[in-house]
Amino acid sequence: MNKVILMGRLTRDPEVRYSAGDNSSAYARYTLAVDRRFRREGSDQQSADFISCVVFGRGAEFAEKYLRQGTKIVVTGRIQTGSYTNRDGQKVYTTDVVVDEQEFAESKAASGGQAGGYQNGGYQKPAASPSGMPTPSEASAGDGFMNIPDGIDEELPFN
């Protein structure tokens, strides 16, 4: 089985091209910077692998429209190797991830407005609910969990 799942940030905007001919099709190339799980001994810096990806068809059109340098995405696909002879007559070996699926790994607000010039997430604070109880977005703390008001312990299904 040849299946790859990667999460990383684009090192630059995707390079999109269209094939020639009657049935022209889009293809896009980009490089993902994928953080390594562990740091190198004696170094404080996180190290990363830079993985070349290629996507075809509608996925390439999506990449052209929505993906920008710094965007954090998750891709699934397969590894494909190849080779060619360069102008100097030397054989060059290539390894690419052929992307089957790609999706955003964080919201535009979390990315700091990097993707597509999106600023501040376009978020507006919702009006208070008619009951006067805070809405989930108002009640959520900065840690991503909803605050539970005091005095409702007996209503919870667990202790």
Side-chain angles (χ1 to χ4, degrees):
M1 179 186 293
N2 182 357
K3 183 163 184 154
V4 176
I5 302 170
L6 301 169
M7 180 168 53
R9 294 192 184 274
L10 272 73
T11 60
R12 62 179 185 270
D13 290 354
E15 179 182 319
V16 181
R17 296 192 178 176
Y18 291 86
S19 61
D22 294 336
N23 296 331
S24 67
S25 175
Y27 66 96
R29 291 190 165 277
Y30 52 80
T31 302
L32 277 183
V34 178
D35 286 336
R36 291 186 179 167
R37 182 169 269 185
F38 302 105
R39 295 181 180 177
R40 199 177 272 180
E41 276 189 47
S43 173
D44 292 345
Q45 294 182 331
Q46 184 82 20
S47 59
D49 291 305
F50 297 90
I51 301 171
S52 176
C53 299
V54 61
V55 60
F56 298 94
R58 295 186 82 111
E61 293 169 4
F62 175 87
E64 179 178 35
K65 189 170 183 181
Y66 296 108
L67 301 183
R68 298 288 174 262
Q69 178 180 350
T71 304
K72 188 174 189 177
I73 62 171
V74 175
V75 300
T76 60
R78 67 185 190 281
I79 292 180
Q80 180 173 294
T81 60
S83 64
Y84 64 92
T85 305
N86 67 11
R87 292 179 182 159
D88 299 332
Q90 296 175 325
K91 194 160 195 166
V92 178
Y93 294 94
T94 63
T95 302
D96 292 311
V97 171
V98 178
V99 176
D100 295 324
E101 298 175 31
Q102 58 192 354
E103 58 187 75
F104 294 105
E106 66 184 0
S107 69
K108 290 181 182 180
S111 68
Q114 295 174 4
Y118 192 75
Q119 297 297 319
N120 298 327
Y123 176 78
Q124 294 179 1
K125 186 175 179 179
S129 65
S131 67
M133 293 294 293
T135 63
S137 62
E138 292 172 330
S140 63
D143 60 4
F145 292 95
M146 183 175 174
N147 291 327
I148 299 175
D150 294 331
I152 64 164
D153 294 332
E154 61 277 353
E155 295 178 28
L156 297 176
F158 50 87
N159 292 337

